[in-house]
Amino acid sequence: GGGVGAVLERFHEEGYEIEIVGHSLGAGVATLLALLMFRRRPSMSIHVYGYAPPACVCEVLAEKTFPPKGERKRKAPNNPVPRKGVKEAMLGPSRRHSAIVPGKGGVNVLNIVLGDDAVPRASTRNILAIAREIVARQGEWKPAMRRELEDVQRRALGLWAPMTRATHWNRVARLTTGNPADYYTKDSGEGLKVAASEEDIKGTSPLLVPPGEIVHIYSKNGQRMASLVNHRWPGFRQVEVSRHMFRDHSKDAIMSALRDTLAVRQCQRATPRWMDAPPIGPVLCAVCGYSVAWASSSDNPLEQSRELRHCYACGRIVCVGCSSNRMTLPEFGINSLVRVCEHCYVNSAGKFRFGEKGCLPKQQ
Ligand SMILES: [Zn+2]
Ligand SMILES: [Zn+2]
């Protein structure tokens, strides 16, 4: 009311354009502040730029913070990437279509969401839904978790002895019959109580969603891509459980992803396709040939899927030990340091000289 609002109103009267920028909670506050200001002064036009915004407005309000459906020029189906969205998010307003009616004022929100960021998806409904899923699927995860705890205990007993690939596989052969199914013990524990019913989830109101037009940055075979979505995109209807779900919220990760998205558009060269893991059997490292989980406390299929890494340069599946080097790959528009396998790291020596752009010295 008094402080910030009065100052912004004065700037507006003096002919300034108002832009409010924020990250995370700040992005939510920026949107709510703009909407409150607009309600008091309907002649004001306010641009909001948010990074990793929370789900902070209802669906009705969200619809008022980006250009109405159908007014945006249609993009070619194979090029859904709005070039302006990313640049505008970095450089400020362009002359493109916005929710602001010329001469009448309004609020236009452009947000950036990176990958699996949990914050824009953390609405009460989404969190209740994932709690429900965890309870419903306890038959799957409880035996796996028991198996992993046993593995951790077994590993703790052998802490004084360094683990090598050979000792790891000797141990596996000694402790099991070789059949992966034997890794799992029967679940005899008492089941969790059901956390929330479908009705409970539906009855949670109001549903909060992230506001504005949203540049969603994602990865395809290790390259950064972006597409323009809004709260109706199904990807915001659930919490994506991944190892990037919290890291993708950080300002640093968002900034380097934005830079890489622009670089990928300029380089026009695709990275090799990332290899899929085999549907059954061990997931093997393309460099050393052992299971990718050879160095972890557990080697069950869940652990293999967690330990699986891809080399950004060749797209093959590698273990953590065989991909300890990081390089930039400017030929693919990747200017941040990314994981490469031992083969690609050694082969790159001919392509890039030590200290030159595109190759950083091996980390000590
Ligand atoms: Zn390996
Ligand atoms: Zn490689």
Side-chain angles (χ1 to χ4, degrees):
V4 180
V7 172
L8 289 181
E9 276 185 32
R10 228 186 79 201
F11 277 126
H12 167 66
E13 277 160 20
E14 290 176 15
Y16 284 95
E17 282 197 16
I18 310 292
E19 289 173 28
I20 314 177
V21 181
H23 170 255
S24 191
L25 180 64
V29 171
T31 298
L32 296 178
L33 174 64
L35 290 168
L36 282 172
M37 292 298 303
F38 176 61
R39 203 169 66 169
R40 274 168 53 139
R41 284 289 202 94
S43 66
M44 275 180 97
S45 27
I46 308 170
H47 285 273
V48 174
Y49 295 93
Y51 298 84
C56 64
V57 294
C58 68
E59 290 175 287
V60 178
L61 217 46
E63 292 288 331
K64 293 178 179 166
T65 57
F66 55 84
K69 199 180 165 187
E71 290 192 37
R72 170 175 292 282
K73 269 189 197 163
R74 236 171 225 292
K75 300 271 184 288
N78 58 350
N79 182 23
V81 181
R83 285 175 180 269
K84 280 178 185 164
V86 174
K87 272 201 176 150
E88 192 186 345
M90 297 176 83
L91 305 172
S94 66
R95 284 172 184 274
R96 77 198 186 95
H97 207 81
S98 86
I100 297 171
V101 183
K104 279 183 89 179
V107 173
N108 192 73
V109 180
L110 183 64
N111 283 318
I112 305 287
V113 169
L114 174 58
D116 298 329
D117 187 352
V119 171
R121 297 168 167 96
S123 66
T124 317
R125 270 193 216 190
N126 285 356
I127 288 173
L128 275 176
I130 197 168
R132 185 177 151 80
E133 194 182 341
I134 289 169
V135 171
R137 297 176 69 165
Q138 55 186 313
E140 293 168 47
W141 60 260
K142 275 183 95 174
M145 193 170 86
R146 178 164 305 131
R147 164 72 198 173
E148 288 191 16
L149 284 174
E150 285 167 9
D151 279 338
V152 168
Q153 284 170 0
R154 214 174 281 138
R155 186 76 191 264
L157 290 174
L159 267 183
W160 63 88
M163 180 73 89
T164 65
R165 291 180 175 100
T167 57
H168 170 78
W169 287 100
N170 286 341
R171 186 177 62 86
V172 170
R174 205 170 56 241
L175 293 171
T176 69
T177 58
N179 179 1
D182 294 341
Y183 281 24
Y184 297 96
T185 51
K186 263 213 154 163
D187 176 23
S188 57
E190 197 165 302
L192 284 173
K193 298 283 177 290
V194 171
S197 70
E198 207 70 66
E199 285 66 40
D200 288 336
I201 293 169
K202 277 194 193 123
T204 314
S205 60
L207 172 64
L208 294 182
V209 295
E213 259 187 327
I214 297 167
V215 177
H216 180 246
I217 302 176
Y218 59 98
S219 291
K220 189 184 173 194
N221 298 326
Q223 275 180 317
R224 292 297 193 183
M225 311 272 167
S227 62
L228 203 53
V229 296
N230 58 49
H231 69 94
R232 282 172 266 159
W233 179 54
F236 289 135
R237 291 300 163 116
Q238 59 182 40
V239 177
E240 303 286 350
V241 180
S242 84
R243 64 170 169 260
H244 303 310
M245 61 191 289
F246 300 115
R247 192 208 61 183
D248 282 354
H249 189 65
S250 81
K251 277 182 277 189
D252 290 347
I254 294 169
M255 270 320 285
S256 63
L258 277 169
R259 290 197 194 97
D260 278 350
T261 308
L262 290 179
V264 167
R265 284 174 187 178
Q266 277 158 14
C267 88
Q268 300 283 324
R269 202 178 144 201
T271 43
R273 196 175 168 278
W274 278 19
M275 264 174 55
D276 292 324
I280 45 162
V283 183
L284 301 180
C285 168
V287 175
C288 67
Y290 288 92
S291 156
V292 290
W294 72 267
S296 30
S297 54
S298 179
D299 48 32
N300 65 52
L302 280 177
E303 187 64 16
Q304 291 197 348
S305 70
R306 278 196 298 264
E307 287 298 308
L308 179 159
R309 298 288 186 276
H310 283 93
C311 168
Y312 280 66
C314 67
R316 296 181 305 168
I317 291 171
V318 285
C319 74
V320 172
C322 293
S323 58
S324 60
N325 292 299
R326 300 288 180 276
M327 278 171 55
T328 62
L329 300 168
E331 70 270 37
F332 296 126
I334 298 173
N335 293 325
S336 39
L337 289 170
V338 291
R339 179 182 301 276
V340 289
C341 71
E342 291 294 324
H343 291 166
C344 291
Y345 185 72
V346 171
N347 287 340
S348 73
K351 253 193 290 179
F352 310 106
R353 265 182 319 214
F354 178 83
E356 239 178 17
K357 192 186 172 194
C359 178
L360 293 181
K362 187 172 176 157
Q363 284 169 349
Q364 295 303 309

